[in-house]
Amino acid sequence: MINVAILGFGVVGSGVGEVIVMNNAKLAKALGDDITVKYIFDKREFPNTPWQDKVVHDIDVIMNDPEVSVVVECMGGAHPAYDFSMDAIKKGKSVITSNKEVVAKFGHELLAAARENGVGYLFEASVGGGTPVIRPLVKCLVANEIDSVCGILNGTTNYILTMMNKYSESFETALASAQEKGYAERDPSDDINGIDTCRKICILADIAFGYGMDSTKVYAEGITAIRNKDVALAEKLGSSIKLLGRARKEGDKVSVMVAPFIVSRERVIAGIDDVFNAVAFNGNAVGEVTLCGRGAGMLPTASAMVADIIDVVNNGAWNVSWCNPAETPADVLMTPDEVEDKYYVAFAVADNGAAIENVISDARLLSTGDGETAIETPKMPYGELKNKLATLEKNGIKAVSVIRIF
Amino acid sequence: MINVAILGFGVVGSGVGEVIVMNNAKLAKALGDDITVKYIFDKREFPNTPWQDKVVHDIDVIMNDPEVSVVVECMGGAHPAYDFSMDAIKKGKSVITSNKEVVAKFGHELLAAARENGVGYLFEASVGGGTPVIRPLVKCLVANEIDSVCGILNGTTNYILTMMNKYSESFETALASAQEKGYAERDPSDDINGIDTCRKICILADIAFGYGMDSTKVYAEGITAIRNKDVALAEKLGSSIKLLGRARKEGDKVSVMVAPFIVSRERVIAGIDDVFNAVAFNGNAVGEVTLCGRGAGMLPTASAMVADIIDVVNNGAWNVSWCNPAETPADVLMTPDEVEDKYYVAFAVADNGAAIENVISDARLLSTGDGETAIETPKMPYGELKNKLATLEKNGIKAVSVIRIF
């Protein structure tokens, strides 16, 4: 009998419980053994549910029970999730998590402890929810040098952008509807400001490039400045606006950033809508591989976590190798100003292409009229763009929207 | 030192050699050991290449060398590929293959032998080329009951359909261009008749549903009957024509088939063009997961095979569980006539919607004129459709094109 303890019985934790019950026969076949939830650690009681007898409020009941071989951490937040995970690892229990905050901040430490204690610390669900991402990267693309990783990693913001695009909803209305549907938290700031995406792209960049990224030092721009005008123009150009996490190798350095991008519909990720996530890897042998699926939600996320349970039970402790952040040179991460892109820029002036062209040469006029002029710039470092926009502003030509072009 | 032997040094085999050389440092890091190609088994000599000293023409040199722990089979065809693979397994060597014909025909037998001999028989590259498909299904979606698997599994036919769609090329011109680019074999019949796709969807159905499918008994329709008119009409309807392998659970039975389908652009796979492959799984917890990548080609396929090498070396023998075909009830597979779909049908008559509606009620008129009338039927078993089309033909209304709608 495989005895599992679930820490935190909210949306994801109760999903793990539900999948273990719903697909119990399939899981038993895959494990060659029965599997059950022995404990639920939560403040609440869940009376009159099948779970009520499993609830404990004292974490030590779980930590000190040698029958519990796998702890599923679904608490969210850095503490005490990190502390309980470390405790469990030191007690010889494998830990499965969907907690990207803990993985991004403490992944290196927890993986080192897991290796030392001969257990597994697996976190497939922390990136892409139910979408297979980390295991395909680590197991299927291992024969490649990875050149870039890029993806739609946050379901809430993708839902908001989809509503703005398909139904011309305002940002505020779309956010309210995301909250109503349970996609967005009551405080959605980590989603809409790109912080959640930033943690996830850092996890992927760490694994893909072998550097320890400090996600708090990575440039993250959210979607709060995106206007319906911008979405409509992108649509007219055969593109969609997507919030992307993007990590690229650039010579000896890497660029890692989160920002909204205008993505041509020629690319698979431009068509990934609603709460779906997608990650595109570029490897030097395989070329582009794209993985798409539900980025959040009770059962999809639980699907990934239960797969992690089965893997760690069947295949013993395996752990992703992860560079010590302390061993990563601080200057390996390019500053945002150094990173080159093409940009869409909308100015609050009509019919002033010539004046703009004087400062940004080879700009391509995208549209003009209705009090605005929109251009596509040639590829240039972000720092250079900012200088040019400052010059234009001094001449009364103010940029009201800047979005990178993928 | 990990010593590998490559059987068959054509496109895929030489790709494996190239990836092992090109990414040697990365591979050594992943393996914790060096890796080298010790032997190449081929009729040819490859003079004046770095490979010339490794060529052997006697398979027993490889079979009897205990230093060779992994054999990479890239021969194609059922024999002697199957025989050499079985031999190697019995000699305690793990076997990696991209050979879908061998896997579809003898997968069960080879996996049983591998388990008995404590070695691995891995075949990620046999479906989807470089696209991660089998490992995500087996490892990442293991907590799900899989309801359906569906995919673009043949790069050659997808390239042909893309050329017909994007550039209005005829089937013949598109096929010639595929051959010129090295995508299609000189004898492309297994590709264009759906046989290659059929082997692959049977491999996926076997793993997903736990049945042993005989791919020679599965309905396979190719793309030779697709006309430019059909492609153009699908495009006008916001859809693409794609050759799909599709396997679905239907109560106690399963339907497995290969056929061209009209796929709405709302779905990710409709936008997968050129030689790219895509597979969509539907699981009862995760919902839809779609995996896209290069379905063929030297380095992409090699990328998957070298990942299999690393997995079998690092993680020991693990093998997919696969049902014995002899234990699969013959009637579990639905006949093609039983399977329900909606259909696009073009008739060689203009303006005869009413006469068609008399026989196929609730048909939706798609277009008329230019000597043809095209309709969309309601969902019905294929057998029922065939009867209705026979009735119409007796009345002088002859169907000239029938394509399933996804």
Side-chain angles (χ1 to χ4, degrees):
Chain A
M1 175 68 77
I2 311 298
N3 289 288
V4 170
I6 300 174
L7 313 190
F9 209 61
V11 173
V12 174
S14 61
V16 171
E18 190 168 328
V19 168
I20 289 176
V21 170
M22 174 172 85
N23 292 343
N24 202 266
K26 166 103 197 247
L27 302 180
K29 202 175 152 198
L31 286 161
D33 199 348
D34 287 327
I35 177 168
T36 191
V37 177
K38 186 164 182 183
Y39 300 113
I40 288 160
F41 176 82
D42 202 288
K43 282 180 196 160
R44 293 162 291 180
E45 298 288 351
F46 307 101
N48 308 315
T49 74
W51 307 109
Q52 61 183 357
D53 296 338
K54 302 181 183 262
V55 176
V56 294
H57 306 299
D58 176 4
I59 192 74
D60 287 331
V61 174
I62 293 167
M63 296 297 169
N64 294 329
D65 186 340
E67 283 188 351
V68 174
S69 53
V70 182
V71 169
V72 183
E73 186 267 296
C74 314
M75 307 188 71
H79 300 283
Y82 158 77
D83 315 86
F84 290 168
S85 299
M86 187 57 99
D87 248 29
I89 288 168
K90 289 186 176 162
K91 291 255 161 65
K93 302 176 195 308
S94 288
V95 175
I96 311 299
T97 188
S98 60
N99 190 326
K100 52 259 172 186
E101 190 176 346
V102 169
V103 177
K105 283 188 183 158
F106 305 110
H108 165 71
E109 243 181 87
L110 289 161
L111 283 164
R115 260 187 299 275
E116 247 170 63
N117 289 276
V119 297
Y121 182 65
L122 273 66
F123 47 89
E124 176 67 69
S126 69
V127 180
T131 316
V133 177
I134 291 173
R135 199 173 271 98
L137 169 60
V138 171
K139 297 277 189 184
C140 301
L141 305 183
V142 59
N144 291 263
E145 294 286 352
I146 302 294
D147 303 317
S148 69
V149 184
C150 166
I152 298 169
L153 297 167
N154 180 274
T156 305
T157 44
N158 203 37
Y159 175 84
I160 292 172
L161 291 171
T162 303
M163 292 299 110
M164 289 175 74
N165 186 22
K166 283 204 179 155
Y167 307 107
S168 305
E169 280 185 6
S170 69
F171 173 81
E172 290 74 19
T173 309
L175 171 60
S177 125
Q179 286 175 308
E180 204 173 283
K181 292 197 170 186
Y183 299 150
E185 308 285 327
R186 220 175 315 159
D187 175 5
S189 49
D190 275 4
D191 291 329
I192 62 178
N193 294 326
I195 306 298
D196 178 78
T197 298
C198 187
R199 287 175 184 138
K200 292 167 175 169
I201 192 65
C202 285
I203 292 172
L204 294 179
D206 283 6
I207 299 173
F209 302 145
Y211 291 123
M213 291 292 153
D214 179 347
S215 71
T216 61
K217 295 196 175 131
V218 163
Y219 178 80
E221 188 182 313
I223 61 164
T224 51
I226 304 289
R227 310 170 310 161
N228 286 80
K229 269 186 185 177
D230 305 321
V231 173
L233 183 59
E235 171 79 26
K236 228 165 55 187
L237 298 169
S239 300
S240 301
I241 298 182
K242 295 292 181 190
L243 182 67
L244 300 183
R246 186 185 68 181
R248 290 192 303 210
K249 247 187 220 159
E250 318 224 4
D252 294 338
K253 298 199 166 198
V254 294
S255 71
V256 186
M257 65 173 359
V258 176
F261 281 82
I262 293 178
V263 187
S264 155
R265 289 250 179 69
E266 293 288 302
R267 302 188 68 100
V268 174
I269 53 169
I272 305 298
D273 285 335
D274 299 311
V275 293
F276 277 81
N277 279 197
V279 179
F281 294 106
N282 224 295
N284 72 341
V286 76
E288 186 160 286
V289 165
T290 310
L291 314 164
C292 324
R294 286 181 185 275
M298 184 164 101
L299 295 182
T301 307
S303 157
M305 300 190 83
V306 177
D308 273 354
I309 298 175
I310 292 176
D311 197 3
V312 83
V313 171
N314 279 354
N315 304 307
W318 73 269
N319 287 293
V320 170
S321 55
W322 194 312
C323 180
N324 186 338
E327 286 166 12
T328 298
D331 64 353
V332 83
L333 179 67
M334 292 171 78
T335 67
D337 282 358
E338 288 174 313
V339 180
E340 288 193 8
D341 277 296
K342 290 180 177 184
Y343 308 85
Y344 149 93
V345 186
F347 296 94
V349 290
D351 297 317
N352 223 332
I356 295 165
E357 169 84 17
N358 276 344
V359 178
I360 304 176
S361 50
D362 296 322
R364 187 164 79 89
L365 188 68
L366 296 177
S367 82
T368 186
D370 200 17
E372 290 199 3
T373 299
I375 58 151
E376 177 184 326
T377 74
K379 208 172 171 184
M380 66 179 80
Y382 188 52
E384 188 182 327
L385 178 77
K386 287 196 296 187
N387 289 338
K388 288 183 192 297
L389 295 184
T391 304
L392 282 163
E393 192 167 347
K394 273 185 217 147
N395 302 335
I397 301 176
K398 189 175 158 49
V400 287
S401 188
V402 177
I403 305 175
R404 288 164 180 82
I405 296 173
F406 194 72
Chain B
M1 175 69 75
I2 311 297
N3 288 287
V4 170
I6 300 174
L7 313 190
F9 209 61
V11 173
V12 174
S14 62
V16 171
E18 189 168 329
V19 168
I20 289 177
V21 171
M22 175 172 86
N23 292 343
N24 202 266
K26 166 102 197 244
L27 302 179
K29 204 176 152 197
L31 286 161
D33 198 349
D34 287 327
I35 178 168
T36 191
V37 177
K38 186 164 183 183
Y39 301 113
I40 287 160
F41 175 81
D42 202 290
K43 283 183 194 157
R44 293 161 291 179
E45 297 289 352
F46 307 100
N48 307 318
T49 74
W51 307 108
Q52 62 184 355
D53 296 337
K54 301 179 184 263
V55 176
V56 295
H57 305 299
D58 176 3
I59 192 73
D60 286 333
V61 174
I62 293 167
M63 295 297 170
N64 295 328
D65 185 340
E67 282 189 354
V68 174
S69 53
V70 183
V71 169
V72 182
E73 187 266 297
C74 314
M75 307 189 71
H79 300 284
Y82 158 76
D83 314 87
F84 290 168
S85 298
M86 188 57 100
D87 248 30
I89 287 169
K90 287 183 176 164
K91 291 254 161 65
K93 301 177 195 307
S94 288
V95 175
I96 311 298
T97 189
S98 60
N99 189 325
K100 51 257 172 187
E101 191 176 346
V102 169
V103 177
K105 283 187 183 157
F106 305 109
H108 165 70
E109 244 182 84
L110 289 161
L111 283 164
R115 258 187 300 273
E116 247 171 61
N117 288 277
V119 297
Y121 181 64
L122 273 65
F123 46 90
E124 177 67 69
S126 69
V127 179
T131 316
V133 177
I134 291 173
R135 199 172 270 99
L137 170 60
V138 171
K139 298 277 190 185
C140 301
L141 305 184
V142 59
N144 291 263
E145 294 287 353
I146 303 293
D147 303 316
S148 69
V149 185
C150 167
I152 298 168
L153 297 168
N154 180 274
T156 305
T157 44
N158 204 37
Y159 175 83
I160 292 171
L161 291 171
T162 303
M163 291 299 110
M164 290 174 73
N165 186 22
K166 283 204 180 155
Y167 307 107
S168 306
E169 280 186 6
S170 69
F171 173 80
E172 291 73 20
T173 310
L175 172 58
S177 126
Q179 286 175 309
E180 203 172 285
K181 293 199 169 183
Y183 299 150
E185 307 286 326
R186 219 173 318 159
D187 174 5
S189 49
D190 275 3
D191 291 330
I192 62 177
N193 294 326
I195 307 298
D196 178 78
T197 298
C198 187
R199 288 176 185 136
K200 292 167 176 170
I201 192 66
C202 284
I203 293 171
L204 294 180
D206 283 6
I207 300 173
F209 302 146
Y211 292 123
M213 292 290 153
D214 179 347
S215 71
T216 62
K217 295 198 175 129
V218 163
Y219 178 79
E221 188 182 313
I223 61 164
T224 51
I226 303 290
R227 311 169 311 160
N228 286 81
K229 269 185 186 178
D230 305 323
V231 173
L233 183 60
E235 170 79 24
K236 228 165 52 185
L237 297 170
S239 301
S240 301
I241 297 182
K242 294 293 180 189
L243 181 68
L244 300 184
R246 186 187 67 182
R248 290 191 304 210
K249 247 187 219 157
E250 318 223 5
D252 293 338
K253 298 197 164 199
V254 294
S255 71
V256 186
M257 64 172 1
V258 177
F261 281 82
I262 293 179
V263 187
S264 155
R265 290 251 179 69
E266 293 287 303
R267 300 188 69 99
V268 173
I269 54 171
I272 303 298
D273 285 335
D274 299 312
V275 293
F276 277 80
N277 279 198
V279 180
F281 295 105
N282 224 295
N284 72 340
V286 77
E288 186 160 285
V289 166
T290 310
L291 313 164
C292 323
R294 287 182 185 276
M298 184 164 101
L299 295 183
T301 307
S303 156
M305 299 190 83
V306 177
D308 273 354
I309 299 176
I310 291 177
D311 197 4
V312 84
V313 170
N314 278 356
N315 304 307
W318 73 269
N319 287 291
V320 170
S321 55
W322 192 312
C323 180
N324 185 340
E327 287 166 11
T328 298
D331 64 354
V332 84
L333 179 67
M334 291 171 81
T335 67
D337 282 358
E338 289 175 313
V339 179
E340 289 194 6
D341 275 297
K342 290 179 176 184
Y343 307 84
Y344 150 94
V345 186
F347 296 94
V349 290
D351 296 319
N352 222 331
I356 294 164
E357 169 85 17
N358 276 344
V359 177
I360 304 177
S361 49
D362 296 323
R364 189 164 77 88
L365 188 69
L366 297 176
S367 81
T368 186
D370 201 16
E372 290 198 3
T373 300
I375 59 152
E376 176 183 327
T377 75
K379 207 170 170 184
M380 66 178 80
Y382 188 52
E384 187 182 328
L385 178 77
K386 286 196 297 187
N387 289 338
K388 287 182 194 295
L389 296 185
T391 304
L392 283 164
E393 191 166 349
K394 275 185 216 148
N395 301 336
I397 302 176
K398 190 175 155 51
V400 288
S401 187
V402 177
I403 305 174
R404 288 165 181 80
I405 297 173
F406 192 73

